[in-house]
Amino acid sequence: MEIKVGDQFTGEIIDFTHEGNGILKVNNLTIFVNGGLIGDKVVVKIDEIKRNFAIGSVVDILEPSIDRVKLDFEVREARGGIPLIEYKYSKQLEWKKEKVKKDLFKIAGLTDVVVKDTIGMENPFRYRNHVQIPVGERNGKTLIGFYELNTNDIVDMDSSILQPEIGDKIIKIIRTWMDKYKIKAYDRKIKKGIIRHIGIRINRDNEAMVILVTGNDKLPRVNELIEELTKEKVISIYQNINIANFSATYGKVYKKLYGEDKLLDYIGDYKFYLSPKSFFQVNRIQTEVLYNKAMEYLDLKKDDIVYDLYCGIGTISLYMAPYVKKVYGVEIIEEAVEDAKYNAVVNDIHNADFIVGKSEVVLPKLVKEGIESNKVVLDPPRKGCERAVLETLAKMLPERIVYVSCNPSTMARDVKYLVENGYKVVKVQPVDMFPHSAHVECVVEIQKV
Ligand SMILES: C[S@@+](CC[C@H](N)C(=O)[O-])C[C@H]1O[C@@H](n2cnc3c(N)ncnc32)[C@H](O)[C@@H]1O
């Protein structure tokens, strides 16, 4: 079928992509649709044509899905991060469970795995403790807000349901300051202007660290901004200089402008001091749920020796350490390992060692050196584990492996290998870390057969 940009089609949304686009099939054409929810009967306009699919947007909803909800508040931000916001929350959780089941069946060929109901949030709003908000300009007006799904278009916002309320106040102060002193958004194309992004980290006690990302080292009138920001509970302000032409938010150089070096946050009773560049799970409440499940599935004992591969700043390692003999955390980013070591001291934990390096290199080395481990945590990035990690596990045969995953497809691929090499999947627990997005996190209990 010959299609062109601007063509319109009618049909029913049958599924979501992992970015949260609705999926519509018309004859043999798959269309990813921004704004369509499962069950909606829609008219869709084609915006872009790719090799195997097209991208479209909803022109009209002919018949809304029975799972569409009427919100009792106005969404004042781009829906790129919350594409499912109008899909009933209980249905979001069901969809996430089904997605995990489907991937385990399609990719790993596993039909009989127990996948539990997704653990959702009691209050699934304002859950993000770190946001990175793009700043731009249109027709001379400053835009501060997230990108719309499938685009680089900033939707200006004065309030976000993703971040705690102090975040809204910070945006307002920065916007007023930019308008008053004519501070321009940075334009990457012409390399002019000042502000590229605003990073905001907010801790359990609603204190904030603000990171002003600039396109060069200039930051005029910053004292006036600091004066206003510190009227709120902003306890640390940094400038980050990002001269790169690509889209990564933060550059390499950080300059402290005000206050504390690090922001203190908690997961459960554990303290974590976060520098502006530390990786930290963005949903504090659900992270605790996730880690408790990981601990339960590992069935920790006092003489266990645990490898925590892909350990980030050592959060899971420190969480487990009091219950076991020894933990070894492995992480590729040197600064994260420095944070992990620092956080071990702060939490008075002395049985956790952290090693900088790639898991696929460090794990075989540890095994070769005879450092035994009977339990292993895997928490890789979206692309999953390197084959060398799985091959080493299949040789060392620890009694239990817990796989924490943010991508069910790569998780299913890796689990398949383990199942073919001496393991069985006991159960899978999806946890909703990102309500209103289509992202699914899960914890998998894997035992030696
Ligand atoms: C999903 S995060 C998990 C972090 C941590 N477990 C937590 O819960 O916060 C994945 C981590 O793996 C690290 N990483 C990526 N590739 C790696 C590799 N080949 N070897 C070791 N760590 C890696 C990333 O830097 C990141 O910190």
Side-chain angles (χ1 to χ4, degrees):
M1 178 177 49
E2 186 68 31
I3 56 157
K4 18 183 222 319
V5 168
D7 282 356
Q8 295 197 358
F9 295 97
T10 300
E12 182 172 332
I13 305 289
I14 50 166
D15 206 348
F16 297 121
T17 64
H18 77 262
E19 291 94 3
N21 282 295
I23 300 177
L24 181 73
K25 294 216 182 215
V26 180
N27 302 326
N28 285 329
L29 176 67
T30 302
I31 312 171
F32 296 151
V33 186
N34 175 12
L37 300 178
I38 294 174
D40 281 342
K41 295 201 178 65
V42 286
V43 180
V44 165
K45 174 174 73 64
I46 302 295
D47 298 323
E48 223 182 313
I49 299 163
K50 305 273 191 189
R51 219 151 80 96
N52 298 320
F53 61 91
I55 296 176
S57 45
V58 173
V59 177
D60 193 12
I61 300 177
L62 301 173
E63 206 181 299
S65 163
I66 51 166
D67 299 316
R68 226 174 221 283
V69 288
K70 225 176 159 34
L71 301 172
D72 55 8
F73 55 86
E74 195 190 335
V75 178
R76 292 152 80 157
E77 64 201 279
R79 298 188 178 209
I82 47 169
L84 310 192
I85 183 84
E86 287 178 272
Y87 196 51
K88 205 186 272 175
Y89 189 52
S90 59
K91 295 300 284 188
Q92 293 183 29
L93 299 177
E94 258 176 50
W95 179 81
K96 290 183 186 196
K97 172 180 168 173
E98 288 310 310
K99 160 86 181 138
V100 174
K101 272 171 100 170
K102 226 188 274 173
D103 283 352
L104 280 167
F105 173 61
K106 280 213 290 217
I107 300 167
L110 298 174
T111 47
D112 53 353
V113 174
V114 178
V115 179
K116 304 191 126 198
D117 290 344
T118 310
I119 303 177
M121 295 189 79
E122 216 168 282
N123 176 16
F125 300 103
R126 297 196 177 271
Y127 57 83
R128 281 193 80 105
N129 53 34
H130 185 189
V131 289
Q132 298 160 43
I133 309 168
V135 180
E137 192 186 297
R138 194 179 303 125
N139 304 328
K141 183 182 180 312
T142 297
L143 305 175
I144 303 178
F146 299 114
Y147 294 120
E148 195 43 274
L149 197 63
N150 311 327
T151 75
N152 279 331
D153 297 339
I154 295 174
V155 176
D156 204 29
M157 70 178 182
D158 58 3
S159 171
S160 164
I161 64 119
L162 282 176
Q163 56 169 353
E165 265 119 11
I166 184 175
D168 292 348
K169 291 184 186 157
I170 290 167
I171 293 174
K172 191 167 171 207
I173 291 168
I174 296 176
R175 184 191 298 285
T176 307
W177 167 78
M178 288 180 75
D179 287 348
K180 183 166 175 190
Y181 296 108
K182 308 219 167 348
I183 310 288
K184 303 286 255 178
Y186 183 75
D187 184 331
R188 270 195 282 155
K189 283 197 207 104
I190 55 168
K191 295 193 166 29
K192 286 223 163 85
I194 307 286
I195 308 286
R196 281 180 79 138
H197 269 87
I198 301 164
I200 306 176
R201 283 178 178 272
I202 302 169
N203 69 11
R204 187 187 69 176
D205 301 328
N206 270 312
E207 295 166 327
M209 172 186 275
V210 175
I211 306 152
L212 300 157
V213 185
T214 57
N216 50 50
D217 61 0
K218 290 193 206 102
L219 190 51
R221 298 288 194 165
V222 70
N223 290 335
E224 285 83 344
L225 177 62
I226 293 172
E227 194 183 326
E228 290 306 313
L229 284 175
T230 51
K231 288 178 184 164
E232 299 297 330
K233 277 176 30 183
V234 174
I235 60 165
S236 172
I237 305 174
Y238 277 86
Q239 176 181 5
N240 172 273
I241 302 162
N242 185 2
I243 54 171
N245 210 12
F246 48 83
S247 60
T249 304
Y250 297 126
K252 287 208 175 94
V253 180
Y254 287 86
K255 277 200 226 169
K256 194 177 83 170
L257 303 175
Y258 170 84
E260 307 287 331
D261 291 351
K262 297 186 186 220
L263 185 70
L264 169 62
D265 207 351
Y266 292 83
I267 296 176
D269 293 332
Y270 296 88
K271 293 179 190 163
F272 295 95
Y273 280 92
L274 308 173
S275 70
K277 54 183 161 185
S278 301
F279 170 86
F280 195 57
Q281 296 278 359
V282 297
N283 185 331
R284 187 183 310 105
I285 294 171
Q286 293 300 84
T287 298
E288 205 177 330
V289 173
L290 190 80
Y291 289 0
N292 284 335
K293 273 290 154 202
M295 297 241 293
E296 181 191 323
Y297 288 1
L298 274 180
D299 189 27
L300 296 176
K301 301 271 169 9
K302 261 293 171 210
D303 55 356
D304 284 340
I305 298 178
V306 185
Y307 289 159
D308 177 16
L309 305 181
Y310 311 90
C311 71
I313 60 164
T315 36
I316 301 181
S317 305
L318 300 181
Y319 215 73
M320 293 186 301
Y323 305 95
V324 300
K325 188 166 169 195
K326 181 91 191 175
V327 183
Y328 293 93
V330 180
E331 164 61 43
I332 199 167
I333 296 177
E334 196 172 341
E335 290 93 345
V337 168
E338 278 163 28
D339 281 346
K341 288 181 177 165
Y342 182 82
N343 289 322
V345 174
V346 168
N347 288 289
D348 205 17
I349 283 169
H350 306 284
N351 59 339
D353 276 0
F354 294 98
I355 303 163
V356 184
K358 294 180 178 171
S359 297
E360 57 273 25
V361 176
V362 176
L363 179 67
K365 230 162 99 191
L366 285 171
V367 174
K368 212 167 159 193
E369 285 165 15
I371 302 174
E372 294 295 329
S373 136
N374 58 330
K375 293 182 182 171
V376 174
V377 178
L378 302 170
D379 186 5
R382 287 194 67 78
K383 67 180 172 125
C385 296
E386 294 290 327
R387 184 49 76 93
V389 169
L390 303 171
E391 283 170 358
T392 310
L393 290 173
K395 276 189 212 131
M396 68 184 260
L397 290 177
E399 65 193 74
R400 274 174 195 253
I401 299 172
V402 162
Y403 195 127
V404 180
S405 160
C406 56
N407 183 347
S409 317
T410 53
M411 178 270 284
R413 179 202 66 201
D414 294 348
V415 158
K416 179 173 193 276
Y417 182 90
L418 291 172
V419 167
E420 286 165 355
N421 288 278
Y423 285 91
K424 65 174 182 215
V425 177
V426 179
K427 50 184 165 322
V428 181
Q429 176 64 70
V431 177
D432 193 22
M433 299 287 276
F434 307 100
H436 316 301
S437 81
H439 290 275
V440 191
E441 188 96 12
C442 44
V443 189
V444 188
E445 180 183 337
I446 302 165
Q447 282 184 31
K448 198 163 84 170
V449 182

